[in-house]
Amino acid sequence: MTILVIAEHDNASLKAATLNAVTAAAALGGDVHVLVAGSNAAAVAQAASQIAGVSKVIHADGASLENALAENVAAQVLQLADGYSHIVFPATASGKNVAPRVAAKLDVAQISDIIKVVSADTFERPIYAGNAIATVQSSDAKKVITVRTTGFDPAAASGGSAAVESVAAVADSGKSSFVGREVTKSDRPELTAAKIIVSGGRALGSDEKFQEVLTPLADKLGAAIGASRAAVDAGYAPNDLQVGQTGKIVAPELYVAIGISGAIQHLAGMKDSKVIVAINKDEEAPIFSVADYGVVADLFTAVPDLVKTL
Amino acid sequence: MTKVLVPVKRVVDYNVKVRVKSDNTGVETANVKHSMNPFDEIAVEEAVRLKEKGAVTEVIAVSVGTKESQETLRTALAIGADKAILVETDAELQPLAVAKVLKALVEREQPGLVVLGKQAIDDDANQTGQILAALADLPQATFASKVELADGKAVVTREVDGGLETVAVILPAIVTTDLRLNEPRYVTLPNIMKAKKKPLETVNPADLGVDVAPRLKTLKVSEPPKRSAGIKVADVAALVDKLKNEAKVI
């Protein structure tokens, strides 16, 4: 049994989500290979070869793979699929984009967002915004899986010494093309990998207040900043900071929810955090039902106080 | 371009706190409020806006499921879809089966664009659009927050980790909607009345030559682990004390 993990990267560096996917792959029991599909991504292939537990890295390099267009990446994976029992993607925007396309061409059911490997054909995955956990068994010959990264510890990024094998990149499909990218600039830790997250909701009132209140606290704690959907919809924060069923799924050591009521859809994204703190002036807010420590107070005085006390 | 096909799904309403059945076979769905999957409402709205702009001529809403899905299709018609197709079956449906049904309809109706929600809030799979794209051998633009049609292409801004990305896909193509694509309109009473007169065709999967048997077997559905009850602390000083000395996270 051999498992292929599709690496997440930006052609320059390997993304941490790959490490969690490798751990899930190792739990299946078998040889773990990693595919690095990109353009001028030799450094990424090199980094992948260092991951503990990886026995081979397959490096496909070509212009068709530069922007990870689903049509081309899926074709690349399919070209290699014959030798593998399981094909594993991290459940990132990119993994979710490509994995179902691969599964469809293999005529197998894709299994989304697994949080636990029960056996090589049986997995646990959350449904209904995390309000239920389904245990599912696949009868397909090949399993195409996406892995919820917060469900698995990251594999060690060093200590491995896998061979890197180059394969030719697929031709461009001609059906899609990349136009441009607008990256949100941030020198904070990445939201999905941060140990501490400070998250704001609609109660902050404006984008100025959102920055003014949350930034000092995040700076002090070395935390990433997150937001509820209400805050994003109101324009206080960019969409890629959204935590919840439809945004990012996070599980930091400490999650500080500030002015967030705690709707089901938000809880779906953060309730696996180790310690949850809620600061809210409404003592009936549902967030207090999941918070380990709650403070009923006006956030505009409590948060600056907190920054001072820390 | 002539037509847009918009698949819609009837799901447990997003405000309902679902309960797991005591025999662990699934979640309680009987006597629970259902409505159109929120991402699908956005898909219908986008299709109707494209029609209002003159970019398309006809919007066809499709649902695969039980007879009750008719209500969901009537909602789509009230938003502004022109006609509806119900692929009626009582079978348990998974994304691969639904995508195969949709592929058969794409072949029959020959739409220039298919707009789906990015995921359904019940199974949270986020697969059907991508699978349909693969089966029909069409390009895909998932998680769309902006769609523009011009010169035989759709230029789509996508919400990705770390920001936004824009791709151009040659039509016909598959687009899946993210939350920020638009704000769906409220359906008005006159439009609900008008929707009752619009055509709704019913077929079944066998008519389309599709086998909808599930490939994944659900062995068990259980409650997620409960968090132990927390405490409320008096003030910020007490909070910092707890975080430092009890939880030891800072």
PDB file of all heavy atoms in Angstrom, chain A residues 96 100-101 103 108-112 125 144 146, chain B residues 94-96 99 118-119 124-132 216:
ATOM      1  N   LYS A  96      -9.144  21.415  -1.623  1.00  0.00           N
ATOM      2  CA  LYS A  96     -10.581  21.229  -1.841  1.00  0.00           C
ATOM      3  C   LYS A  96     -10.958  21.471  -3.304  1.00  0.00           C
ATOM      4  O   LYS A  96     -11.933  20.933  -3.807  1.00  0.00           O
ATOM      5  CB  LYS A  96     -11.381  22.214  -0.980  1.00  0.00           C
ATOM      6  CG  LYS A  96     -11.352  21.919   0.494  1.00  0.00           C
ATOM      7  CD  LYS A  96     -12.170  22.993   1.196  1.00  0.00           C
ATOM      8  CE  LYS A  96     -11.897  23.044   2.662  1.00  0.00           C
ATOM      9  NZ  LYS A  96     -12.520  24.226   3.270  1.00  0.00           N
ATOM     10  N   PRO A 100     -11.750  16.720  -5.465  1.00  0.00           N
ATOM     11  CA  PRO A 100     -12.958  16.109  -6.032  1.00  0.00           C
ATOM     12  C   PRO A 100     -12.819  15.847  -7.534  1.00  0.00           C
ATOM     13  O   PRO A 100     -13.400  14.907  -8.070  1.00  0.00           O
ATOM     14  CB  PRO A 100     -14.054  17.154  -5.780  1.00  0.00           C
ATOM     15  CG  PRO A 100     -13.517  18.058  -4.729  1.00  0.00           C
ATOM     16  CD  PRO A 100     -12.017  18.051  -4.893  1.00  0.00           C
ATOM     17  N   ARG A 101     -12.033  16.681  -8.195  1.00  0.00           N
ATOM     18  CA  ARG A 101     -11.820  16.517  -9.628  1.00  0.00           C
ATOM     19  C   ARG A 101     -11.047  15.228  -9.905  1.00  0.00           C
ATOM     20  O   ARG A 101     -11.347  14.498 -10.836  1.00  0.00           O
ATOM     21  CB  ARG A 101     -11.040  17.739 -10.149  1.00  0.00           C
ATOM     22  CG  ARG A 101     -11.433  18.128 -11.526  1.00  0.00           C
ATOM     23  CD  ARG A 101     -10.818  19.391 -12.063  1.00  0.00           C
ATOM     24  NE  ARG A 101     -10.860  19.266 -13.497  1.00  0.00           N
ATOM     25  CZ  ARG A 101     -11.729  19.877 -14.293  1.00  0.00           C
ATOM     26  NH1 ARG A 101     -12.582  20.733 -13.809  1.00  0.00           N
ATOM     27  NH2 ARG A 101     -11.725  19.656 -15.588  1.00  0.00           N
ATOM     28  N   ALA A 103     -10.990  12.589  -7.831  1.00  0.00           N
ATOM     29  CA  ALA A 103     -11.866  11.478  -7.455  1.00  0.00           C
ATOM     30  C   ALA A 103     -12.868  11.182  -8.566  1.00  0.00           C
ATOM     31  O   ALA A 103     -13.112  10.018  -8.908  1.00  0.00           O
ATOM     32  CB  ALA A 103     -12.599  11.809  -6.158  1.00  0.00           C
ATOM     33  N   VAL A 108     -14.505   7.486  -8.065  1.00  0.00           N
ATOM     34  CA  VAL A 108     -14.590   7.100  -6.655  1.00  0.00           C
ATOM     35  C   VAL A 108     -15.184   8.260  -5.859  1.00  0.00           C
ATOM     36  O   VAL A 108     -15.142   9.409  -6.294  1.00  0.00           O
ATOM     37  CB  VAL A 108     -13.207   6.719  -6.069  1.00  0.00           C
ATOM     38  CG1 VAL A 108     -12.564   5.623  -6.887  1.00  0.00           C
ATOM     39  CG2 VAL A 108     -12.276   7.936  -5.957  1.00  0.00           C
ATOM     40  N   ALA A 109     -15.743   7.936  -4.682  1.00  0.00           N
ATOM     41  CA  ALA A 109     -16.315   8.978  -3.828  1.00  0.00           C
ATOM     42  C   ALA A 109     -15.188   9.646  -3.049  1.00  0.00           C
ATOM     43  O   ALA A 109     -14.416   8.961  -2.384  1.00  0.00           O
ATOM     44  CB  ALA A 109     -17.319   8.367  -2.864  1.00  0.00           C
ATOM     45  N   GLN A 110     -15.093  10.949  -3.130  1.00  0.00           N
ATOM     46  CA  GLN A 110     -14.070  11.649  -2.359  1.00  0.00           C
ATOM     47  C   GLN A 110     -14.537  11.776  -0.905  1.00  0.00           C
ATOM     48  O   GLN A 110     -15.734  11.885  -0.638  1.00  0.00           O
ATOM     49  CB  GLN A 110     -13.823  13.028  -2.971  1.00  0.00           C
ATOM     50  CG  GLN A 110     -12.537  13.671  -2.483  1.00  0.00           C
ATOM     51  CD  GLN A 110     -12.796  14.967  -1.769  1.00  0.00           C
ATOM     52  OE1 GLN A 110     -13.304  15.907  -2.341  1.00  0.00           O
ATOM     53  NE2 GLN A 110     -12.456  14.998  -0.487  1.00  0.00           N
ATOM     54  N   ILE A 111     -13.592  11.705   0.015  1.00  0.00           N
ATOM     55  CA  ILE A 111     -13.934  11.817   1.435  1.00  0.00           C
ATOM     56  C   ILE A 111     -13.339  13.126   1.950  1.00  0.00           C
ATOM     57  O   ILE A 111     -12.131  13.319   1.919  1.00  0.00           O
ATOM     58  CB  ILE A 111     -13.385  10.601   2.217  1.00  0.00           C
ATOM     59  CG1 ILE A 111     -13.873   9.310   1.538  1.00  0.00           C
ATOM     60  CG2 ILE A 111     -13.825  10.638   3.678  1.00  0.00           C
ATOM     61  CD1 ILE A 111     -12.909   8.160   1.664  1.00  0.00           C
ATOM     62  N   SER A 112     -14.236  14.038   2.404  1.00  0.00           N
ATOM     63  CA  SER A 112     -13.807  15.404   2.719  1.00  0.00           C
ATOM     64  C   SER A 112     -13.455  15.585   4.180  1.00  0.00           C
ATOM     65  O   SER A 112     -14.167  15.100   5.060  1.00  0.00           O
ATOM     66  CB  SER A 112     -14.932  16.389   2.402  1.00  0.00           C
ATOM     67  OG  SER A 112     -15.160  16.440   1.020  1.00  0.00           O
ATOM     68  N   ARG A 125     -15.387  12.134  10.053  1.00  0.00           N
ATOM     69  CA  ARG A 125     -15.426  13.500   9.512  1.00  0.00           C
ATOM     70  C   ARG A 125     -16.612  14.241  10.110  1.00  0.00           C
ATOM     71  O   ARG A 125     -17.681  13.672  10.360  1.00  0.00           O
ATOM     72  CB  ARG A 125     -15.493  13.492   7.981  1.00  0.00           C
ATOM     73  CG  ARG A 125     -16.687  12.768   7.368  1.00  0.00           C
ATOM     74  CD  ARG A 125     -16.683  12.900   5.850  1.00  0.00           C
ATOM     75  NE  ARG A 125     -16.702  14.294   5.466  1.00  0.00           N
ATOM     76  CZ  ARG A 125     -17.817  14.978   5.176  1.00  0.00           C
ATOM     77  NH1 ARG A 125     -19.003  14.388   5.189  1.00  0.00           N
ATOM     78  NH2 ARG A 125     -17.755  16.254   4.868  1.00  0.00           N
ATOM     79  N   VAL A 144      -9.698   8.868  -2.206  1.00  0.00           N
ATOM     80  CA  VAL A 144      -9.228  10.242  -2.389  1.00  0.00           C
ATOM     81  C   VAL A 144      -9.762  11.049  -1.206  1.00  0.00           C
ATOM     82  O   VAL A 144     -10.976  11.113  -0.991  1.00  0.00           O
ATOM     83  CB  VAL A 144      -9.696  10.839  -3.733  1.00  0.00           C
ATOM     84  CG1 VAL A 144      -9.198  12.273  -3.873  1.00  0.00           C
ATOM     85  CG2 VAL A 144      -9.211   9.986  -4.892  1.00  0.00           C
ATOM     86  N   THR A 146      -9.454  14.447   1.664  1.00  0.00           N
ATOM     87  CA  THR A 146      -8.867  15.699   2.147  1.00  0.00           C
ATOM     88  C   THR A 146      -8.829  15.635   3.669  1.00  0.00           C
ATOM     89  O   THR A 146      -9.709  15.055   4.306  1.00  0.00           O
ATOM     90  CB  THR A 146      -9.623  16.966   1.683  1.00  0.00           C
ATOM     91  OG1 THR A 146     -10.938  16.959   2.233  1.00  0.00           O
ATOM     92  CG2 THR A 146      -9.704  17.056   0.172  1.00  0.00           C
TER      93      THR A 146
ATOM     94  N   GLN B  94     -25.156  11.015  -2.448  1.00  0.00           N
ATOM     95  CA  GLN B  94     -23.824  11.544  -2.162  1.00  0.00           C
ATOM     96  C   GLN B  94     -23.356  12.380  -3.351  1.00  0.00           C
ATOM     97  O   GLN B  94     -23.887  12.235  -4.454  1.00  0.00           O
ATOM     98  CB  GLN B  94     -22.875  10.377  -1.854  1.00  0.00           C
ATOM     99  CG  GLN B  94     -23.260   9.711  -0.536  1.00  0.00           C
ATOM    100  CD  GLN B  94     -22.447   8.479  -0.206  1.00  0.00           C
ATOM    101  OE1 GLN B  94     -21.689   7.969  -1.022  1.00  0.00           O
ATOM    102  NE2 GLN B  94     -22.623   7.992   1.011  1.00  0.00           N
ATOM    103  N   PRO B  95     -22.355  13.242  -3.133  1.00  0.00           N
ATOM    104  CA  PRO B  95     -21.960  14.178  -4.201  1.00  0.00           C
ATOM    105  C   PRO B  95     -21.674  13.524  -5.552  1.00  0.00           C
ATOM    106  O   PRO B  95     -22.062  14.072  -6.594  1.00  0.00           O
ATOM    107  CB  PRO B  95     -20.695  14.831  -3.626  1.00  0.00           C
ATOM    108  CG  PRO B  95     -20.908  14.809  -2.151  1.00  0.00           C
ATOM    109  CD  PRO B  95     -21.627  13.516  -1.872  1.00  0.00           C
ATOM    110  N   LEU B  96     -21.016  12.362  -5.557  1.00  0.00           N
ATOM    111  CA  LEU B  96     -20.699  11.726  -6.837  1.00  0.00           C
ATOM    112  C   LEU B  96     -21.974  11.410  -7.625  1.00  0.00           C
ATOM    113  O   LEU B  96     -22.060  11.662  -8.827  1.00  0.00           O
ATOM    114  CB  LEU B  96     -19.874  10.446  -6.597  1.00  0.00           C
ATOM    115  CG  LEU B  96     -19.408   9.699  -7.849  1.00  0.00           C
ATOM    116  CD1 LEU B  96     -18.517  10.576  -8.723  1.00  0.00           C
ATOM    117  CD2 LEU B  96     -18.662   8.410  -7.467  1.00  0.00           C
ATOM    118  N   ALA B  99     -23.621  14.639  -8.863  1.00  0.00           N
ATOM    119  CA  ALA B  99     -22.871  15.191  -9.993  1.00  0.00           C
ATOM    120  C   ALA B  99     -23.148  14.400 -11.271  1.00  0.00           C
ATOM    121  O   ALA B  99     -23.200  14.969 -12.361  1.00  0.00           O
ATOM    122  CB  ALA B  99     -21.376  15.208  -9.678  1.00  0.00           C
ATOM    123  N   LYS B 118     -20.787  26.529  -3.030  1.00  0.00           N
ATOM    124  CA  LYS B 118     -19.501  25.856  -2.843  1.00  0.00           C
ATOM    125  C   LYS B 118     -19.619  24.628  -1.953  1.00  0.00           C
ATOM    126  O   LYS B 118     -18.852  23.696  -2.090  1.00  0.00           O
ATOM    127  CB  LYS B 118     -18.440  26.822  -2.309  1.00  0.00           C
ATOM    128  CG  LYS B 118     -18.479  27.086  -0.810  1.00  0.00           C
ATOM    129  CD  LYS B 118     -17.171  27.730  -0.313  1.00  0.00           C
ATOM    130  CE  LYS B 118     -17.290  28.080   1.157  1.00  0.00           C
ATOM    131  NZ  LYS B 118     -16.094  28.759   1.677  1.00  0.00           N
ATOM    132  N   GLN B 119     -20.565  24.638  -1.027  1.00  0.00           N
ATOM    133  CA  GLN B 119     -20.780  23.450  -0.220  1.00  0.00           C
ATOM    134  C   GLN B 119     -22.185  23.479   0.346  1.00  0.00           C
ATOM    135  O   GLN B 119     -22.785  24.542   0.450  1.00  0.00           O
ATOM    136  CB  GLN B 119     -19.734  23.322   0.901  1.00  0.00           C
ATOM    137  CG  GLN B 119     -20.003  24.152   2.146  1.00  0.00           C
ATOM    138  CD  GLN B 119     -18.804  24.158   3.103  1.00  0.00           C
ATOM    139  OE1 GLN B 119     -17.701  24.565   2.734  1.00  0.00           O
ATOM    140  NE2 GLN B 119     -19.017  23.713   4.318  1.00  0.00           N
ATOM    141  N   ASP B 124     -21.393  19.175   4.354  1.00  0.00           N
ATOM    142  CA  ASP B 124     -20.145  19.958   4.341  1.00  0.00           C
ATOM    143  C   ASP B 124     -19.075  19.379   3.412  1.00  0.00           C
ATOM    144  O   ASP B 124     -17.884  19.477   3.696  1.00  0.00           O
ATOM    145  CB  ASP B 124     -19.577  20.112   5.766  1.00  0.00           C
ATOM    146  CG  ASP B 124     -20.312  21.180   6.580  1.00  0.00           C
ATOM    147  OD1 ASP B 124     -20.888  22.103   5.974  1.00  0.00           O
ATOM    148  OD2 ASP B 124     -20.316  21.097   7.826  1.00  0.00           O
ATOM    149  N   ALA B 125     -19.488  18.774   2.290  1.00  0.00           N
ATOM    150  CA  ALA B 125     -18.520  18.054   1.452  1.00  0.00           C
ATOM    151  C   ALA B 125     -17.671  18.971   0.565  1.00  0.00           C
ATOM    152  O   ALA B 125     -16.475  18.773   0.428  1.00  0.00           O
ATOM    153  CB  ALA B 125     -19.240  17.021   0.594  1.00  0.00           C
ATOM    154  N   ASN B 126     -18.298  19.976  -0.046  1.00  0.00           N
ATOM    155  CA  ASN B 126     -17.567  20.851  -0.959  1.00  0.00           C
ATOM    156  C   ASN B 126     -16.967  20.045  -2.110  1.00  0.00           C
ATOM    157  O   ASN B 126     -15.751  20.033  -2.314  1.00  0.00           O
ATOM    158  CB  ASN B 126     -16.477  21.612  -0.186  1.00  0.00           C
ATOM    159  CG  ASN B 126     -15.913  22.782  -0.977  1.00  0.00           C
ATOM    160  OD1 ASN B 126     -15.890  22.739  -2.214  1.00  0.00           O
ATOM    161  ND2 ASN B 126     -15.471  23.809  -0.296  1.00  0.00           N
ATOM    162  N   GLN B 127     -17.806  19.316  -2.834  1.00  0.00           N
ATOM    163  CA  GLN B 127     -17.311  18.443  -3.905  1.00  0.00           C
ATOM    164  C   GLN B 127     -18.109  18.532  -5.211  1.00  0.00           C
ATOM    165  O   GLN B 127     -17.535  18.372  -6.284  1.00  0.00           O
ATOM    166  CB  GLN B 127     -17.411  16.963  -3.470  1.00  0.00           C
ATOM    167  CG  GLN B 127     -16.573  16.579  -2.295  1.00  0.00           C
ATOM    168  CD  GLN B 127     -16.772  15.105  -1.934  1.00  0.00           C
ATOM    169  OE1 GLN B 127     -17.377  14.340  -2.679  1.00  0.00           O
ATOM    170  NE2 GLN B 127     -16.278  14.716  -0.785  1.00  0.00           N
ATOM    171  N   THR B 128     -19.424  18.726  -5.118  1.00  0.00           N
ATOM    172  CA  THR B 128     -20.286  18.455  -6.271  1.00  0.00           C
ATOM    173  C   THR B 128     -19.897  19.267  -7.511  1.00  0.00           C
ATOM    174  O   THR B 128     -19.846  18.724  -8.617  1.00  0.00           O
ATOM    175  CB  THR B 128     -21.769  18.697  -5.904  1.00  0.00           C
ATOM    176  OG1 THR B 128     -22.056  17.927  -4.740  1.00  0.00           O
ATOM    177  CG2 THR B 128     -22.700  18.279  -7.026  1.00  0.00           C
ATOM    178  N   GLY B 129     -19.609  20.551  -7.337  1.00  0.00           N
ATOM    179  CA  GLY B 129     -19.242  21.387  -8.482  1.00  0.00           C
ATOM    180  C   GLY B 129     -17.990  20.883  -9.180  1.00  0.00           C
ATOM    181  O   GLY B 129     -17.938  20.764 -10.408  1.00  0.00           O
ATOM    182  N   GLN B 130     -16.989  20.566  -8.357  1.00  0.00           N
ATOM    183  CA  GLN B 130     -15.719  20.091  -8.916  1.00  0.00           C
ATOM    184  C   GLN B 130     -15.908  18.751  -9.633  1.00  0.00           C
ATOM    185  O   GLN B 130     -15.330  18.510 -10.696  1.00  0.00           O
ATOM    186  CB  GLN B 130     -14.668  19.931  -7.807  1.00  0.00           C
ATOM    187  CG  GLN B 130     -14.246  21.224  -7.101  1.00  0.00           C
ATOM    188  CD  GLN B 130     -15.081  21.538  -5.873  1.00  0.00           C
ATOM    189  OE1 GLN B 130     -16.306  21.496  -5.922  1.00  0.00           O
ATOM    190  NE2 GLN B 130     -14.435  21.873  -4.770  1.00  0.00           N
ATOM    191  N   ILE B 131     -16.708  17.855  -9.030  1.00  0.00           N
ATOM    192  CA  ILE B 131     -16.930  16.542  -9.647  1.00  0.00           C
ATOM    193  C   ILE B 131     -17.659  16.717 -10.975  1.00  0.00           C
ATOM    194  O   ILE B 131     -17.290  16.116 -11.994  1.00  0.00           O
ATOM    195  CB  ILE B 131     -17.742  15.612  -8.715  1.00  0.00           C
ATOM    196  CG1 ILE B 131     -16.966  15.335  -7.430  1.00  0.00           C
ATOM    197  CG2 ILE B 131     -18.059  14.295  -9.430  1.00  0.00           C
ATOM    198  CD1 ILE B 131     -17.741  14.522  -6.403  1.00  0.00           C
ATOM    199  N   LEU B 132     -18.686  17.570 -10.973  1.00  0.00           N
ATOM    200  CA  LEU B 132     -19.422  17.826 -12.210  1.00  0.00           C
ATOM    201  C   LEU B 132     -18.479  18.353 -13.294  1.00  0.00           C
ATOM    202  O   LEU B 132     -18.536  17.927 -14.446  1.00  0.00           O
ATOM    203  CB  LEU B 132     -20.557  18.826 -11.942  1.00  0.00           C
ATOM    204  CG  LEU B 132     -21.317  19.307 -13.172  1.00  0.00           C
ATOM    205  CD1 LEU B 132     -21.990  18.136 -13.896  1.00  0.00           C
ATOM    206  CD2 LEU B 132     -22.364  20.355 -12.802  1.00  0.00           C
ATOM    207  N   LEU B 216     -20.089   5.562  -0.202  1.00  0.00           N
ATOM    208  CA  LEU B 216     -19.559   5.628   1.158  1.00  0.00           C
ATOM    209  C   LEU B 216     -20.657   5.127   2.070  1.00  0.00           C
ATOM    210  O   LEU B 216     -21.807   5.515   1.943  1.00  0.00           O
ATOM    211  CB  LEU B 216     -19.232   7.075   1.545  1.00  0.00           C
ATOM    212  CG  LEU B 216     -18.001   7.726   0.956  1.00  0.00           C
ATOM    213  CD1 LEU B 216     -17.869   9.138   1.507  1.00  0.00           C
ATOM    214  CD2 LEU B 216     -16.762   6.929   1.253  1.00  0.00           C
TER     215      LEU B 216
END
